[in-house]
Amino acid sequence: MKKLLFLFTLFFAYNIHAQEKSISIDSLLTLLHEQSQFNGNVLIIQKGEEILKKSYGLANRTTKKALNENSIFELASLSKQFTAAGIILLHREGKLSYTDKLTKYFPELTFCKDVSIKNLLNHSSGIPEYFGLMMKYGDQSKIANNKDVIQMLYNKVDSLDFYPSDQFNYSNTNYLLLASIIEKIEKKSYSDFMKAAIFEPLGMENTFIYNRRYQPRSIPNYADGYVLGARQKVSLPDSLEYYDYVTYLDGIVGDGMVNSTINDLRIWDQSLRRHAFIQQDELDCLQTLDTLNNGAVNTYSFGWNVKKKDHAINMSHSGSWPGYVTYISRDVHADNLIVILQNFDEIVLPVKAIREVLNDEPISTTYKKEIQLSNSVLKQYTGTYLDGEDPNDVTTLSLGQNALIFNSTNNPWDMPFYPDSENTFFSKAPRMNIGFEFVEEKGAMKLVFLQNGKKIGMSVKKE
């Protein structure tokens, strides 16, 4: 009886602790959502226990439909782990070898004669990124598919960026080619293969390949992806000219275009733990990291970033495409999982803070809180500012919605900066910890530029 009471006490104490972690993470995400820095779904598992599963914000900003736990998101580069899983299956069936050269399947790509399938899987091929090449050489009057990219490589590229296995260099072209190898071997579309070989057998009912512009169809419960346009207007990327590549690259698969939900990604995680799809020896192969020609260890393997510390192994990947920011992290030897799917790409991805809460550590990252200032206060800061060292570098600040809109000669960003005090402003852009403060000295208004809290420049307001 005492033993049962002790076990109950332990369970009760752990449950209370898990609730505290849930409240702490939820409070952070709620704050970020309220100031438009988080919009999406999150699933957090620790030691097999669900810490948090919650939706923040809207799936469709026109209809005002809210996100729910079965909302379907474009996974962006999280798709690569599924493409790699397809290659693992074909390897198991003896239909290919990891040492096969790319030219076995695409002999026309003679500059890739030394590139192996393993090089493609681990981004050590030296094959250049197709994005810029397609923007330069592609026919932008139509939607490109994998065959168009391969034809462009044949016509326009005659050398690798480096010899295979000399370096790690993340190139989406690698996974496009892997998807095309699958299609060539299986004589069916990548979409049909992934559905029949992986998604349906595992019961991932809301996971599929979706090229929304190339092959549009109606999908209930879809989370439309939004971007921040000019003058703080949140829009679909299709409506903005500088995002036109989301249309003419929409037929390409393998490096992206898997769509899924937080619940289906939990099923995927569990299938890896139970070896329901990828077998133990195959996981061992995935977790055995390649050594590059210079002796460095390549920590990218089969669509995952693999981190080893002591006896712990973590597999993770992030994804980004106009309108979507995604993330997955799983610990191999503990039932820990973090999944974040967001359908707005000017956001924060607070993975570090979430990990610190889960590990009972203080949150080391400070997320600034937007305050409201009147237009009369904001207007005193608008105008033209001249760089203290280069008078030809002109900064213009104009009035936005509780924000100052930044543009300059060197950086015509049209970027909003929001107040966190009466004279300090910060950017909500996820990849920049930048901001500025205003200092009035001897009747002159000075604009001090900050990055990571440190001064990086100064301009003076032109009277």
Side-chain angles (χ1 to χ4, degrees):
M1 183 67 182
K2 288 182 178 180
K3 184 177 180 180
L4 286 174
L5 182 61
F6 176 71
L7 290 174
F8 174 78
T9 303
L10 281 179
F11 174 78
F12 181 75
Y14 176 79
N15 223 25
I16 293 295
H17 193 45
Q19 289 178 14
E20 291 172 348
K21 291 180 179 181
S22 176
I23 292 170
S24 180
I25 296 171
D26 179 42
S27 297
L28 170 63
L29 298 182
T30 298
L31 166 66
L32 294 174
H33 170 65
E34 287 174 348
Q35 53 190 39
S36 300
Q37 288 181 282
F38 193 94
N39 196 95
N41 286 355
V42 61
L43 172 65
I44 301 173
I45 307 292
Q46 187 174 42
K47 297 179 181 178
E49 296 293 328
E50 185 178 292
I51 300 296
L52 183 67
K53 180 164 69 173
K54 189 171 178 179
S55 301
Y56 300 81
L58 299 175
N60 186 301
R61 296 186 183 227
T62 301
T63 65
K64 306 302 181 185
K65 181 177 181 180
L67 292 166
N68 60 67
E69 65 181 71
N70 291 311
S71 294
I72 298 165
F73 294 74
E74 156 66 47
L75 295 187
S77 285
L78 267 61
S79 305
K80 290 180 172 67
Q81 61 200 259
F82 295 103
T83 301
I87 293 292
I88 289 171
L89 178 61
L90 296 186
H91 179 269
R92 181 195 307 165
E93 295 174 348
K95 296 179 179 179
L96 59 76
S97 170
Y98 298 143
T99 60
D100 285 349
K101 301 303 183 188
L102 178 58
T103 46
K104 177 178 179 179
Y105 305 96
F106 299 101
E108 67 272 27
L109 300 180
T110 54
F111 73 98
C112 298
K113 61 183 176 61
D114 295 317
V115 173
S116 69
I117 287 179
K118 191 70 175 296
N119 290 136
L120 300 177
L121 286 164
N122 297 349
H123 289 303
S124 59
S125 70
I127 300 174
E129 175 62 65
Y130 74 83
F131 283 2
L133 292 171
M134 287 298 289
M135 292 173 74
K136 183 176 181 179
Y137 299 119
D139 179 0
Q140 297 176 21
S141 66
K142 68 171 189 175
I143 298 178
N145 58 30
N146 288 31
K147 291 180 179 178
D148 295 317
V149 177
I150 293 170
Q151 186 64 41
M152 179 275 297
L153 292 173
Y154 171 68
N155 290 332
K156 299 296 183 181
V157 181
D158 58 10
S159 63
L160 300 171
D161 287 344
F162 54 84
Y163 188 77
S165 296
D166 272 0
Q167 300 178 33
F168 161 81
N169 187 56
Y170 192 95
S171 173
N172 287 282
T173 315
N174 293 318
Y175 274 76
L176 174 157
L177 291 166
L178 289 170
S180 297
I181 289 171
I182 289 172
E183 291 185 330
K184 183 156 274 196
I185 291 174
E186 291 297 293
K187 295 180 173 52
K188 63 174 65 173
S189 72
Y190 171 79
S191 176
D192 288 345
F193 171 80
M194 299 298 284
K195 178 181 178 180
I198 301 178
F199 304 145
E200 283 190 344
L202 292 179
M204 298 173 68
E205 296 180 355
N206 292 311
T207 304
F208 44 81
I209 311 303
Y210 181 38
N211 305 84
R212 61 183 297 179
R213 302 157 186 96
Y214 188 56
Q215 297 175 321
R217 65 183 192 269
S218 177
I219 297 177
N221 214 5
Y222 196 73
D224 286 320
Y226 294 88
V227 297
L228 188 65
R231 309 302 302 180
Q232 299 170 270
K233 184 179 180 181
V234 177
S235 309
L236 293 171
D238 308 60
S239 65
L240 302 173
E241 184 177 353
Y242 48 85
Y243 284 117
D244 57 359
Y245 60 88
V246 300
T247 296
Y248 68 77
L249 297 180
D250 191 68
I252 296 166
V253 295
D255 59 327
M257 297 303 175
V258 175
N259 287 249
S260 191
T261 68
I262 53 172
N263 287 331
D264 272 11
L265 290 176
R266 175 59 167 160
I267 293 172
W268 172 239
D269 170 71
Q270 286 296 299
S271 79
L272 297 176
R273 298 185 189 283
R274 299 192 311 268
H275 310 129
F277 178 74
I278 299 178
Q279 299 170 359
Q280 181 63 60
D281 62 324
E282 294 166 337
L283 278 173
D284 291 341
C285 178
L286 185 160
Q287 293 157 16
T288 302
L289 302 178
D290 277 354
T291 300
L292 300 173
N293 294 334
N294 63 3
V297 175
N298 181 5
T299 58
Y300 194 97
S301 184
F302 289 80
W304 293 92
N305 293 294
V306 180
K307 183 179 180 180
K308 297 183 177 183
K309 186 177 181 180
D310 300 325
H311 299 293
I313 301 175
N314 176 265
M315 299 165 59
S316 68
H317 212 292
S318 60
S320 179
W321 190 244
Y324 298 97
V325 175
T326 59
Y327 180 81
I328 186 170
S329 172
R330 54 185 308 275
D331 294 322
V332 173
H333 300 306
D335 193 353
N336 298 336
L337 175 69
I338 299 173
V339 179
I340 299 173
L341 305 179
Q342 298 203 66
N343 63 326
F344 180 47
D345 68 2
E346 284 293 324
I347 49 75
V348 169
L349 191 61
V351 175
K352 183 179 180 183
I354 290 171
R355 287 190 182 282
E356 288 170 340
V357 172
L358 294 176
N359 294 332
D360 299 311
E361 299 169 353
I363 295 179
S364 60
T365 303
T366 300
Y367 295 100
K368 294 186 176 181
K369 186 174 182 178
E370 177 187 353
I371 66 168
Q372 298 294 314
L373 292 183
S374 67
N375 280 350
S376 61
V377 173
L378 293 170
K379 283 180 179 178
Q380 68 177 316
Y381 300 129
T382 61
T384 300
Y385 292 77
L386 303 181
D387 187 274
E389 297 180 358
D390 180 4
N392 293 318
D393 184 5
V394 179
T395 293
T396 303
L397 299 178
S398 56
L399 185 64
Q401 299 173 31
N402 196 48
L404 295 173
I405 308 297
F406 169 92
N407 282 287
S408 77
T409 308
N410 296 328
N411 299 298
W413 290 340
D414 206 30
M415 179 183 288
F417 284 76
Y418 299 86
D420 61 306
S421 77
E422 283 211 359
N423 70 318
T424 58
F425 292 72
F426 70 102
S427 167
K428 296 179 182 179
R431 291 167 291 279
M432 303 180 187
N433 188 8
I434 57 176
F436 44 73
E437 66 176 331
F438 295 94
V439 179
E440 192 168 2
E441 291 182 359
K442 299 178 180 179
M445 182 67 74
K446 294 184 177 181
L447 172 62
V448 180
F449 296 95
L450 305 170
Q451 187 166 33
N452 298 315
K454 297 181 179 180
K455 178 180 175 180
I456 59 172
M458 188 268 292
S459 294
V460 179
K461 189 174 183 179
K462 182 180 178 180
E463 296 300 332

